[in-house]
DNA sequence: CATGAATGAGTATTCATTCAT
DNA sequence: TATGAATGAATACTCATTCAT
């Protein structure tokens, strides 16, 4: 009785296998795109690294561009996971900030390929409204702003617009990440984190100078 | 004595003309490289913009790569000039810093093409030991460090390694410049400069919190 | 005696099933090859149309080329069957001719995909000694020549080499089929058949002109 | 005095040279497209034949498709020229027809590559509203219809719609051209022209048969 | 000197075919 | 037996650079 009970004939699809393959390909792609640059990376190189055929890569990602952007996005999601893991279960808000900054710098120190991918993305895909990095940054900034508001309410942080803090801190980390990668990190990143925190928390002015008036910039711009 | 005292016989090489041509080409190149990206910029496009032949561009710059790097370098020299102009004749050291930061942000706001060129350079010329931007940064940081040392001696800035300040400030400006360009500047750059200075000068902690111990990061990193 | 007398043990090869599958595949293939062209037709498309796997198509036809040629051949056999059906039981020879011409035009009007396949075959398989169409034409021309010989013996058709008639008539139909397909048929094909017959049977010259000498072409060709 | 009198600096354009190059390229392209088929023809092959670089071909024709269509169009223009040359200064209208038919067959006999190009065009560019051949046919048919009208007025050709004649004759020539090319011409084309004219001018029916009624096709179509 | 015609190395993507399941 | 995952050969077009005019 040729009952086609529940299984279609032919080779069945293996979802898990497919997902694993995707991960492997994205891993290899991230490394090679970072090492060679987007334009200098032949998809063949990615396939060779994995000992698979070029056509196979195209089975999983419809184009080189698509493969690249998927690799970047995966990096950003990993960064977020890393930071969340490192700050979970930390009660003290200031301590959370400390941990997050350290996790951020550690992540890019451990995975320098993602710094490169961020650059490559900007260089090649100028048409994208907003680079992947900033999409993720904007999507994740909310909770941190809430945390700073709390700290102000608790009187532990000076009153100021929270955006001032998150912007300055965000840009500082962003710039530090790039500088570390491009110019070479000069000191252990724990020290680097400390340096950042020392200045961001305490400022550079001496006690005595703090008593004077705040600096002003708005007296006209004498040069252009 | 820059007097061109006596003309040599024969057709004189018109150095000034040549220099002017170079400038024109670099101007056009910077704009087009920035607008299209390095790889998408045909040298023909640069020639067309100037209504000259493609071969003529090659008379002034031996290769596309060379043309591009010259354009970046020119941008960095302009940045330096801009900052020097804006800080000249300013006696007060803190005021000099304020002016310099404002000049830096203003420059890249006025010439966004140079931000793009910095990115493009990193993306395409991964072989270069140090990107042009950081070459200039390193070359120019000395006087600023001296200035901060002075401020410490005068008791106006807390005692700390000057590198801490210049690194943090440098990275912060670098990150801000990129963010402004990529994600779009959200506020007038005078306000932005103020925000930066407020935090860098005074820190974010409240008076009360400043009395507590400094934050520490070195207790091991529980995640990785 | 086509009685399948005693069944062999084991699973019988279901010849009929296999043949049916072949027909289905050829049907789909003919349509898609005609619609997309040979080179633009992915074998996957044929499989998709039938909701079967690509490998299954290859179980029935060893290659794309083979599949295509089988589809063309099937079309030609159908054409022959059509014409035979339409001319069967027609006693009058002239009437048989009329019917055959009408059937020919009707066939390609009803199955324009076969016109396309004839073109595609010529375009892609230039190595074949003789295209499928002409193989069939040569194989089928014999009875028609016999028929014209009969008509001459009966004094109903002028004496002339029968090849002259079959060549001219064959080429005229061939050209008409293509023109109808490419340029769009301008009139009902019954009218078209009438037009053809009017000229082929009666010629275009007036009674008066027919008395003159036949036209000559052999006086040298003054141009080349 | 550096008067730029009338000549721009740099290498001047040579219009004649450009036109000659185009012709050379089209010649080579027509032959190779015909010999290999459109899809199997690498533009490199055309370049090799001429001992020029592939890029040079692309300087003159923006794409392979464009090059191909230009080659077909050139063939059709040549055909027209050939026919016009052969029929010029021929006073007798019937003789003009004889000459034109002969010129048509001679042209494709001498330039079989254009038959192939016509096929290739249809096979590859199914999107074109009307193939190049039919565009030219339609553009040139007018004067011939006028000629047939004249012949009718003069009583030398039977009264009938001129389209009937030009359609039948056009399709007959079209089909003959293809058949000659595909199946191989079996007899000298002068004889072929004579055969065609004998039937088209005089019809195939005997004098006796011509007295009977014309054949009819419209009695219903007993088969489908 | 200035030009632009000529060149050919370099590259993303497709798809016929195979074969493990 | 039916399937579809895997493969890699094949291919049109671009553009940096050169050099004859």
């Amino acid at each position: 009785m040729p009952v086609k009970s529940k299984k279609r004939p032919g080779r069945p699809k293996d979802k898990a296998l497919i997902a694993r393959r995707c991960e492997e390909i994205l891993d290899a792609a991230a490394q090679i795109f970072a090492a060679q640059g987007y334009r200098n990376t032949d998809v063949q190189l990615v396939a060779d690294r994995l000992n698979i055929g070029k056509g196979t890569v195209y089975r999983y990602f419809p184009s080189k561009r698509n493969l690249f952007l998927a690799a970047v996005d995966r990096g950003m999601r990993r960064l977020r996971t890393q930071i969340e893991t490192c700050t979970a279960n930390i009660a003290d808000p200031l301590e959370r900030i400390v941990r997050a900054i350290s996790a951020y710098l550690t992540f890019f120190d451990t995975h320098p390929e993602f710094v490169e991918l961020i650059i490559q993305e900007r260089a090649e895909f100028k048409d994208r409204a907003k680079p992947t990095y900033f999409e993720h940054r904007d999507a994740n900034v909310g909770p941190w702003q809430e945390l700073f508001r709390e700290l102000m309410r608790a009187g532990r942080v000076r009153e100021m617009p929270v955006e001032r803090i998150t912007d300055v801190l965000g840009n500082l980390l962003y710039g530090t990440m790039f500088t570390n990668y491009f110019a070479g990190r000069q000191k252990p990143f724990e020290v680097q984190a400390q340096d950042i925190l020392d200045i961001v928390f305490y400022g550079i002015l001496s006690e005595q100078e703090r008593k004077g008036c705040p600096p002003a910039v708005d007296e006209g711009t004498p040069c252009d």
Side-chain angles (χ1 to χ4, degrees), chain A:
Chain A
M1 195 176 65
V3 173
K4 209 191 279 177
S5 53
K6 61 201 163 209
K7 200 173 128 306
R8 287 192 28 226
R11 185 173 179 172
K13 298 194 184 192
D14 185 340
K15 291 286 175 80
L17 180 68
I18 289 176
R20 186 151 38 83
R21 262 295 172 69
C22 276
E23 288 292 297
E24 283 172 10
I25 292 171
L26 286 177
D27 263 336
Q31 286 178 31
I32 296 177
F33 278 132
Q36 316 274 340
Y38 180 78
R39 290 303 274 257
N40 297 317
T41 296
D42 194 325
V43 175
Q44 183 68 59
L45 283 176
V46 178
D48 288 349
R49 169 78 62 104
L50 296 165
N51 285 320
I52 63 177
K54 180 161 49 174
T56 306
V57 177
Y58 275 93
R59 280 190 62 75
Y60 289 87
F61 298 92
S63 72
K64 184 182 173 183
R65 173 191 173 109
N66 193 291
L67 172 62
F68 175 81
L69 293 176
V72 180
D73 198 68
R74 180 154 162 278
M76 295 304 95
R77 276 182 283 111
R78 278 197 179 190
L79 167 62
R80 182 184 185 165
T81 304
Q82 180 91 314
I83 291 175
E84 282 173 351
T85 305
C86 287
T87 55
N89 305 319
I90 304 293
D92 182 57
L94 283 183
E95 178 65 13
R96 285 176 69 89
I97 295 165
V98 174
R99 297 285 182 132
I101 290 175
S102 184
Y104 180 98
L105 294 175
T106 304
F107 178 81
F108 285 112
D109 198 72
T110 315
H111 301 292
E113 66 268 27
F114 290 123
V115 185
E116 191 64 49
L117 293 190
I118 289 169
I119 292 292
Q120 294 287 330
E121 186 196 7
R122 260 307 304 178
E124 290 297 328
F125 304 111
K126 302 164 56 57
D127 52 314
R128 302 201 91 196
K130 193 181 284 195
T132 307
Y133 177 88
F134 290 103
E135 271 186 359
H136 282 264
R137 176 163 155 176
D138 288 354
N140 297 331
V141 74
W144 292 102
Q145 294 187 331
E146 188 46 44
L147 185 144
F148 281 109
R149 275 192 209 95
E150 247 176 67
L151 284 165
M152 288 184 203
R153 280 193 294 268
R156 303 183 67 186
V157 161
R158 289 194 288 134
E159 286 291 336
M160 66 178 85
V162 283
E163 288 80 12
R164 180 183 301 174
I165 301 177
T166 50
D167 282 2
V168 165
L169 203 47
N171 293 342
L172 176 50
L173 288 175
Y174 188 58
T176 304
M177 163 194 77
F178 275 160
T179 306
N180 281 346
Y181 182 65
F182 294 158
R185 184 164 47 73
Q186 305 298 334
K187 33 194 168 184
F189 57 87
E190 289 91 350
V191 175
Q192 204 170 37
Q194 285 286 14
D195 284 356
I196 289 172
L197 287 166
D198 179 50
I199 289 181
V200 170
F201 279 9
Y202 295 97
I204 63 172
L205 296 189
S206 63
E207 283 304 313
Q208 163 200 344
E209 183 71 19
R210 294 171 65 85
K211 310 307 173 197
C213 354
V217 105
D218 53 4
E219 317 166 359
T221 49
C223 59
D224 191 6

